[in-house]
Amino acid sequence: MLPITPIFVRSKEILKQLSLLLDEERVAFGELSSDTIVSLSEQKKSLLDEMNQLNNKRINILIKFDVVDRDNPTEEEFKVWLDQQDSSMDHIRLLMQECDLLLRECKTKNHTNARILNTLQKRNKHLFELLQGHSSKNKVYTSRGSTKPISSKHTLGRA
């Protein structure tokens, strides 16, 4: 019997925590709470670091028990091996399925948050340009082919 059940149990717990953090992050974006956003980012990084460590530990165990190739271990190799096992491994199959569902949920939430963040960044950039007196119509090309705004004499800071 492979000693990987605790790894999958902890991975499931981490994915649940990550999902909750992603929900909190979306709320923080709506409230424009930068301190909360930074704190949540640090918590997410900590969880993802632990998840990476668990994944490495799981791969090392699978290599040790000759379940996957030592030189090129793949997830697919493990799944094929797991499918060939008897019903005593059903609990691991179930944990893997739950982790896969939670992972997909986290990826969807993360993608949504990235889109929200991108929108907020564009809005803030536009507002900053307005404060500087720049207009999206008043841009010139630089020597590298990008554009840069031309300052207006009538900025809000000078008014």
Side-chain angles (χ1 to χ4, degrees), residues 1-84:
M1 178 100 152
L2 287 176
I4 59 173
T5 302
I7 294 172
F8 279 111
V9 169
R10 181 63 187 142
S11 294
K12 182 179 168 184
E13 291 170 0
I14 290 172
L15 288 167
K16 284 181 179 180
Q17 290 175 337
L18 187 59
S19 180
L20 292 174
L21 285 177
L22 289 165
D23 290 337
E24 290 178 38
E25 184 180 59
R26 193 164 111 221
V27 170
F29 285 153
E31 295 172 350
L32 301 175
S33 175
S34 60
D35 291 338
T36 304
I37 293 168
V38 170
S39 171
L40 290 170
S41 294
E42 290 169 358
Q43 291 176 52
K44 285 189 330 185
K45 183 184 180 320
S46 173
L47 288 175
L48 292 173
D49 288 344
E50 184 179 352
M51 191 71 142
N52 282 334
Q53 290 173 350
L54 285 172
N55 192 43
N56 289 336
K57 186 176 179 181
R58 180 178 62 93
I59 289 171
N60 288 335
I61 290 171
L62 294 175
I63 288 172
K64 180 179 177 182
F65 283 86
D66 288 325
V67 173
V68 295
D69 182 36
R70 182 173 301 278
D71 298 326
N72 186 23
T74 64
E75 191 72 23
E76 191 59 35
E77 214 175 357
F78 172 60
K79 287 180 181 180
V80 167
W81 177 86
L82 191 59
D83 286 340
Q84 296 170 350

Side-chain angles (χ1 to χ4, degrees), residues 110-132:
N110 192 56
H111 180 70
T112 300
N113 287 357
R115 290 178 63 198
I116 292 169
L117 182 59
N118 188 25
T119 301
L120 289 172
Q121 287 174 332
K122 285 179 183 178
R123 186 190 74 187
N124 287 343
K125 181 181 178 197
H126 178 71
L127 291 173
F128 183 68
E129 286 177 352
L130 283 175
L131 284 172
Q132 289 182 322

